[in-house]
Amino acid sequence: MPVKVWTRDEEGKAVGSFQTGRGTKLGIKGIGQADALDRRLDDVLDGAFARHTELSRANGGVELSRFTSAWVVGEAFRVSGIVQDEALASEDPDFLWEAMSKKSSACKRSNGLEEENWKTLRPSDTSRDRGMDYWEMCLWLAEQDYSRTERTFGGKIMNAWSLLAAPTLKPLVLREALCDWLDDQDEEARKVIHKVRIFRKLLKQLRHKWPARGTRSALQPIHYSQEDLTAVLAKTIDLAEILGE
Amino acid sequence: MTERTARRAADNNVADVVNTIEAYGCGSIRALAQDPPQNALDARRNKGTIVHVIYRLFERSISDGEKMNILAITDSGTTGLDGPILTSADLEEREHRLGRLEIEQEENWAAFEANRYTKTDQEKLGSRGQGKYAYLYHSKHPISQGGADRMIILYDTLLTNGEYRLGVRYHNPATKVIEPPFINEDAKETISTIYKDEHFSIPLQLGPLTQAGTRIIIPFLSDEAVEAIQSGELLHWLQAEWWRAIQKRDMKITLINDLKGNSEDVLVPAWWDGEPWHRESPNYFVKEDIDLRSRNRDDRESWRIKRVVLSAGASIKDIEDWPAQFNGIQLLRGSQWIVTLDPKEYLDLIPKEHGLGFCGFVEFEQKLEGELREIERPAHDGFDGRKPLYKEIKNVLKGIVEEFSREQGWYEETVKYDPKQDELITEITAKLGIWKPTNPPPPELESDLWYCSVRANERRFDWGDSVSISATCHRHPALPGEMVVFKPSLITPRGARTDLNDYSRSQKLNGRNELKSSAGATFKELPIHAPIFKEPGRYKAVIDCFVNDDLVTTGGCSFYVNEEPPIPPQRVLLSVTAGNKHDGAREIPMDGELFWRVNVRNNTVDTVRGQLAVTVGPEVLQIERQEFQGVALGYKAEPVSFSNTRKIESLDLSQGRHVVRASVEDDEGKVLVSGSAVIFIGEGDENAREPELPFVLEQRENPMSPRWELEEPREGGDYKLKYYGNNKIFKFLRNTANQRRDRHPSENYMEEIVCEAIVEWAHCEHMRGDEGRMNDLVAGIKNLNSEAGENFESLVEKFVADNVEPQEYARIHRKLTSIIIDTL
């Protein structure tokens, strides 16, 4: 199915073009579906911005942390159900994220009007290829409720990116189990574990347990219940080594 | 007063010291910056202690108002030069008794005084006393105007038990060490006044050490060393060499210059200060925990690069006199800089204009550091470039630099996709039957299962020996009373088959229960001589089992005549087969049934106990504890087979591609072996079904690429066969006008590359413990040409052997490739 991708031309004018994936031909029907999807993306981005502003206000007008901002945006995407849009059926999900990121940076609504607000939703320095688009990361982050995801990563977006760098550690059940395991640690230890450098050490031990390539167990995190996985984590994580004791 | 004599410490002399230090690639000042802190770190009192090394330059007046420059290098936080004081008689007696001079771990004083010794249980570089040459070298001065050169160093040490020692060593030109050394008050008295003997008179006037540690005093300090301290060159080398140890708070280094009246601490360079790679900055690129293909010989664990940090250096390239030792990738071992890989090594990846600001460093895991120490040059200034481990590290780094360069937007490799080439791989892999499960469906899924195991009494025979073959035919479920006829034949090293009808045997099936019945046969001994055995090499005994004139099963075993058998890989191996129960195909309809079979082969001598797990997507298909018996060294184990089926409807699997994975883990959760097979579920969208290829093809255009290169998957991706599109032969063939041939010459070229890479790919998988791909390959060749297949199988046995030499490996690789090409 095609999507509408907004870019800016040499003169800085926003231009929309229709793109298709998987060698699908672009037809009249497809153009109609892409336009409909583009209108829906307006709503999704507006919804995310509204939620963002609301929380920022509730926070006394203080700018949301990068972590909270990412979760709020992801939550808005999740609630909108945009990923399940019929136009995207059997398409590569990257297609959606590309269309959305370009649309928000071009600040172009489907009716042709400019929308500067959307710029605040996506940090400008997210061009680095981490194997997942920033929007997709937001959606992934929002798979957990805010309180639990905040406890899992210590409210640090770098920790989330670090975990995402290991494909075998992505499943929700692992984050939930990790949250339970962290809840079992004392407050002081948790603070230390959530330091970016220390969290990486923890992930290193988990990557060692579930490497992405080479000789590896057929039993991946996804094959365990949350409770069993928490027990496996407790057995796998060598806290003394992580904390350099 | 104690009478002191000078004894010879060893046979070295001034020339020996000069030759050794001048062979250091980076010169004598680097040696002075390298060895004292290294010795201090080696003598660190305990892990948490910060070792402090102080270099102090000062002068003393000697006769006629002349001045002498002296450098004192003091370490604290160390054990000091402890251990017993061994006399020359002690050392000679020990050398005579052991046949070589061996010094125990704790005998640090003796180690510092002796030369050309070995430390017990330690083969550390530098442990043979080359470190002290760095000090001696800089005290070189003529005995008299225009006379021969001599050298001297003094060393005092305060031990943790309060004992104080002062020793003297000189090369005049023969090497002497004073005996006995000054002890306690004698030592303190000398250090605070003057050292005097028949050759030397050195005013020291130093305070005794107040903390446990060691001080090396270099009198008659060379002009070169003084100049290096005055100009900052020594400071620079100390920084280049030890910045990481300083950053990790393992060490502190201070340089005190009494001539200038200043003191400076060696600092971490600005661009690495505060470990900026931990912060989110586009200027820094970090990769951690990178497994190498090379493995530890003891535990077979992969060696691992701990961390690679690269920096685009946007802010550092403007630094004046940007030091060459930082420009490139520093390889660190034990926080010590060993060598820098020049940006010129990455000319194709780092554009010239960015080369100057490009810097980085690499740290290795402890076990790998131990291995690197083995291949390090004695001067600690590089590694032996011929060693495969170092070559692999450089290759891995090149891949990482490529990734970094791509991220920086410096490098965009021209990758051309040519669907024709994919078709070629598809055609070849389809012909070879790679990834295809057995077709027709595996026999164990039929109601009657027959199989036959065959054994020879030895693996190796010589001319004139006799081989005894025995076979057992099994049947599930039991069918007692049926007569099995065993018909043996022999396959020669060239692949020819000779029937041995005279050796046929018959035996009735019998069994104790309903599950299984068996019949066994031991054949007449076969003498190893002509006409059956005509040449040395691998022979295979094949036993066909007939029941009522129908062939029900076949088994075989190999042995070697007048040739050493290859040692099967001493590992646990595993293969996975999965597909449609109905027809054996990989495609399974939604209402179909999945079968899987996992073969585990324990080729080690020990019994392995562990948990076998089989999964597909989120589903666990099988999980059970198992025990796998070992085999005698040099024998190949019989596989233990596990198979079962499940209806697709009962599995939570969507339409499309899925991977059936199996693994065996030991009781500690360590994965011993794993393997996989791919299946497709449902009819699905043809477009969504990606072609299942062993690797994807990428055409590279950048210069300096090899003809082809198989890149192992990163983070769960595909293998990549990268071939160089600008290869002269390839370009010529591609440009050649269409000729009247079945196939364009460039396709033949590509076919050869693909076949070579298929062999390497199957070998890579085998090295990881998954022998399924290699088995597919053998079966595929046999299906196309049984004689070539036997030859292929024989070569594969040597190819995967533990004792295959590199040259032999390359030769077999070429042979296997040619068999594939001939067979296709």
Side-chain angles (χ1 to χ4, degrees), chain B residues 205-405:
Chain B
Q205 296 150 13
L206 293 166
L209 299 173
T210 53
Q211 292 181 53
T214 304
R215 172 167 54 193
I216 314 293
I217 302 160
I218 311 172
F220 305 101
L221 188 67
S222 65
D223 291 345
E224 185 193 8
V226 174
E227 172 58 25
I229 296 169
Q230 300 280 44
S231 66
E233 188 191 345
L234 179 64
L235 191 78
H236 155 68
W237 283 112
L238 285 166
Q239 185 184 51
E241 192 84 39
W242 297 108
W243 68 269
R244 186 64 176 134
I246 293 167
Q247 185 168 54
K248 287 164 77 179
R249 299 182 57 77
D250 288 336
M251 178 182 274
K252 183 179 174 186
I253 304 177
T254 308
L255 196 54
I256 301 172
N257 185 345
D258 283 2
L259 306 190
K260 278 188 174 174
N262 65 9
S263 162
E264 275 184 276
D265 283 336
V266 178
L267 301 175
V268 175
W271 53 94
W272 295 138
D273 193 21
E275 302 194 339
W277 56 88
H278 290 305
R279 296 193 290 272
E280 205 174 358
S281 161
N283 275 345
Y284 294 92
F285 179 90
V286 189
K287 276 262 160 187
E288 289 180 326
D289 303 323
I290 305 142
D291 284 331
L292 298 181
R293 232 187 314 173
S294 308
R295 282 163 187 271
N296 190 331
R297 282 180 294 273
D298 298 334
D299 56 14
R300 307 297 304 168
E301 287 242 343
S302 292
W303 277 315
R304 192 177 279 190
I305 296 177
K306 189 175 173 186
R307 179 180 294 115
V308 180
V309 179
L310 301 177
S311 172
S315 60
I316 56 180
K317 66 183 173 191
D318 303 324
I319 291 177
E320 207 178 333
D321 296 333
W322 168 236
Q325 290 71 34
F326 287 106
N327 189 196
I329 306 175
Q330 283 195 322
L331 304 191
L332 311 179
R333 184 189 51 74
S335 302
Q336 175 183 357
W337 165 62
I338 303 296
V339 70
T340 302
L341 301 177
D342 195 300
K344 284 181 192 148
E345 299 222 14
Y346 311 107
L347 269 181
D348 52 331
L349 303 171
I350 308 286
K352 231 178 172 179
E353 63 272 26
H354 294 291
L356 187 61
F358 172 65
C359 63
F361 70 90
V362 184
E363 292 178 299
F364 304 95
E365 291 259 301
Q366 209 175 357
K367 278 186 187 170
L368 178 53
E369 286 194 331
E371 196 63 18
L372 285 171
R373 198 187 270 264
E374 300 284 323
I375 62 167
E376 196 171 298
R377 292 207 290 251
H380 310 290
D381 60 354
F383 299 98
D384 184 344
R386 293 165 304 175
K387 299 291 181 191
L389 174 62
Y390 187 53
K391 283 185 184 167
E392 192 193 347
I393 288 172
K394 285 184 73 169
N395 273 343
V396 168
L397 288 178
K398 190 161 184 180
I400 293 170
V401 172
E402 183 180 318
E403 221 175 301
F404 166 73
S405 178

Side-chain angles (χ1 to χ4, degrees), chain A residues 8 12 48 63 69 74 95 113 122 135 142 176 188 218 226 233:
Chain A
R8 293 208 173 258
E63 198 178 330
S69 170
F95 223 46
L113 295 176
R122 188 177 171 104
W135 293 134
E176 292 288 27
E188 281 308 304
Q226 187 174 321
L233 292 183

Side-chain angles (χ1 to χ4, degrees), chain B residues 444-509:
Chain B
E444 64 264 41
L445 301 172
E446 301 296 299
S447 52
D448 302 340
L449 166 62
W450 295 89
Y451 66 94
C452 174
S453 60
V454 183
R455 273 188 74 94
N457 54 330
E458 295 286 346
R459 280 276 284 167
R460 181 199 160 119
F461 298 91
D462 289 311
W463 300 117
D465 290 346
S466 293
V467 52
S468 173
I469 307 285
S470 56
T472 311
C473 178
H474 306 275
R475 198 222 190 241
H476 295 278
L479 195 63
E482 283 286 345
M483 181 66 79
V484 180
V485 180
F486 298 86
K487 291 187 176 176
S489 55
L490 196 70
I491 295 173
T492 68
R494 290 170 194 266
R497 185 168 175 147
T498 308
D499 290 332
L500 303 170
N501 293 329
D502 293 348
Y503 289 79
S504 293
R505 297 285 310 272
S506 303
Q507 185 73 40
K508 273 186 183 172
L509 284 171

